[in-house]
């Protein structure tokens, strides 16, 4: 009999470190890569893994996210498949989710209704490709009740992650789960690396139900999947690890095979976009064997116009979305979403422009993120003078990236 799998996507993140991009939307609803939302990467990995029953647990500022999932992720109801957003409902008392484990506890009715054998739990705000069916197979064969997906990281960065200490006698078993350790041991086969948790898990359904139910009444618990639930399984000797390096995704290249990016900060969000645009990108959006799905608006192709007297519309090392027009302007090393207009003699360099952005003549946008419908008037600049950008109320990161929030007009 086939193993019955239910996927739970944890999409309730507030995303404070991504402000102002999350001022009007939940973190998983933040646009990415010109035509996607962050949540699309998790859902695409699940669908490509042939797991076609998913619930997306939402909470903060969820309207944009709920609308995107409802309009985009329509599965075959005839076959009983679905991707459905589930808002916080205060099923266990007059309070919102207290943590990721509590989010699952408050929605145990979904598990009871579906009665799966296995539950795949994933976050909704990382950029990667992963075949979860391979992880589920490894989980079942290991005999573990809980399995944590982990990616190899340099040992010098261990204090930035939840680190998995592997049993030397069994590389699939977790000996200890260490929260941002200062002096961890390296891996037996690679002493200069550690295994960092990716925030993706596979559980036996009954074991997960028991764990979150006990955690719900445990005094002092943070009700967190990584901080409380995984250590509970580790203490019982029932926790396993799945090394991401063993995951083979169809169509992947040696350059992007083990790519995983946490885009929890503005700088990492920007850097992940820069990973998309080289000739041989660090993360390849053009893998047609493992596509990333999203809603594609009914827009015409991108257009590049004018070609005389130095007024040449062109884009170099860039991603340009549908409906965008580069009119006698230069776009370099940038990502333009749908319906962007860049007018004559303007320059856009190493920037991310979301839907509907308008850049006027002779304007300059450099090392910036412009949210939806931002207007840069003729002759204005963004990202050229960080101090001036701060004075105008824009966010400027430690690395000097300027962020302009939704619907703002840049003053000349």
């Amino acid at each position: 009999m086939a193993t019955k799998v239910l996927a739970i996507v944890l999409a309730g993140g507030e995303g404070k470190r991504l402000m102002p991009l999350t001022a009007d939307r939940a973190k998983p609803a933040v646009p990415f890569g010109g035509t996607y939302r962050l949540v699309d990467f998790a859902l695409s990995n699940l669908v490509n893994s042939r797991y076609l029953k998913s619930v997306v647990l939402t909470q903060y500022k969820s309207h944009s996210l709920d609308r995107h999932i409802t309009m985009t992720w329509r599965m075959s109801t005839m076959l009983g498949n679905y991707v459905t957003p589930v808002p916080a409902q205060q099923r266990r008392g007059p309070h919102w989710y207290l943590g990721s484990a509590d989010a699952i506890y408050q929605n145990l009715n979904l598990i009871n209704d579906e009665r799966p054998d296995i539950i795949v739990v994933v976050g909704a705000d990382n950029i990667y490709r992963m075949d979860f069916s391979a992880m589920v197979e490894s989980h079942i064969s290991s005999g573990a009740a809980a399995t944590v997906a982990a990616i190899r990281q340099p040992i010098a960065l261990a204090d930035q992650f939840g680190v998995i200490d592997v049993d030397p006698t069994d590389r699939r078993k977790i000996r200890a789960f260490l929260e941002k350790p200062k002096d961890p041991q390296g891996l037996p086969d690679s002493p200069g690396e550690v295994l960092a948790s990716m925030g993706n898990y596979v559980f036996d359904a009954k074991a997960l139900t028991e764990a979150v139910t006990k955690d719900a009444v445990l005094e002092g618990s943070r009700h967190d999947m990584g901080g409380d639930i995984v250590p509970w399984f580790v203490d019982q000797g029932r926790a396993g690890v799945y090394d991401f390096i063993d995951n083979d995704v169809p169509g992947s290249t040696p350059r992007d095979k083990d790519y995983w990016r946490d885009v929890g900060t503005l700088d990492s969000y920007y850097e992940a976009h820069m990973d998309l645009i080289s000739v041989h990108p660090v993360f390849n959006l053009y893998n047609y064997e493992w596509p990333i799905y999203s809603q594609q608006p009914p827009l015409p192709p991108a257009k590049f116009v004018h070609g005389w007297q130095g007024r040449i519309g062109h884009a170099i090392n860039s991603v340009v979305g549908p409906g965008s027009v580069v009119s006698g302007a230069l776009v370099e090393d940038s990502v333009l979403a749908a319906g962007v207009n860049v007018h004559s003699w303007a320059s856009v360099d190493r920037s991310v422009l979301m839907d509907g952005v308008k850049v006027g003549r002779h304007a300059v946008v450099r090392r910036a993120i412009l949210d939806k419908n931002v207007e840069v008037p003729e002759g204005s600049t963004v990202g050229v003078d960080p101090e001036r950008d701060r004075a105008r109320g824009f966010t400027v990161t430690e690395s000097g990236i300027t962020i302009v929030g939704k619907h703002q007009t840049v003053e000349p």
Side-chain angles (χ1 to χ4, degrees), residues 214-353:
K214 289 184 175 180
D215 176 78
V217 296
L218 189 62
E219 190 172 340
S221 173
R222 295 171 295 172
H223 310 296
D224 182 72
M225 292 299 294
D228 299 289
I229 300 303
V230 171
W232 185 80
F233 283 105
V234 172
D235 290 344
Q236 297 182 16
R238 302 168 66 198
V241 60
Y242 179 76
D243 191 341
F244 188 47
I245 202 171
D246 297 328
N247 197 258
D248 291 318
V249 171
S252 63
T253 66
R255 187 167 170 80
D256 78 344
K257 177 182 182 296
D258 303 318
Y259 183 92
W260 179 84
R261 174 78 81 162
D262 181 355
V263 290
T265 67
L266 291 167
D267 280 327
S268 63
Y269 176 82
Y270 173 84
E271 290 162 4
H273 276 88
M274 297 301 103
D275 288 343
L276 305 177
I277 57 178
S278 64
V279 175
H280 301 291
V282 182
F283 183 73
N284 181 25
L285 291 175
Y286 300 89
N287 180 353
Y288 300 114
E289 296 181 54
W290 198 271
I292 305 300
Y293 297 100
S294 190
Q295 183 182 29
Q296 302 299 331
L299 293 172
K303 184 169 69 170
F304 304 83
V305 295
H306 295 308
W308 54 278
Q309 296 181 347
R311 187 186 180 195
I312 302 172
H314 59 301
I316 304 169
N317 294 338
S318 297
V319 173
V320 181
S324 292
V325 179
V326 179
S327 175
L330 172 60
V331 176
E332 294 183 279
D333 301 315
S334 296
V335 176
L336 275 56
V340 172
N341 283 274
V342 187
H343 293 281
S344 294
W345 299 290
S347 172
V348 176
D349 179 29
R350 292 166 292 165
S351 295
V352 179
L353 277 55

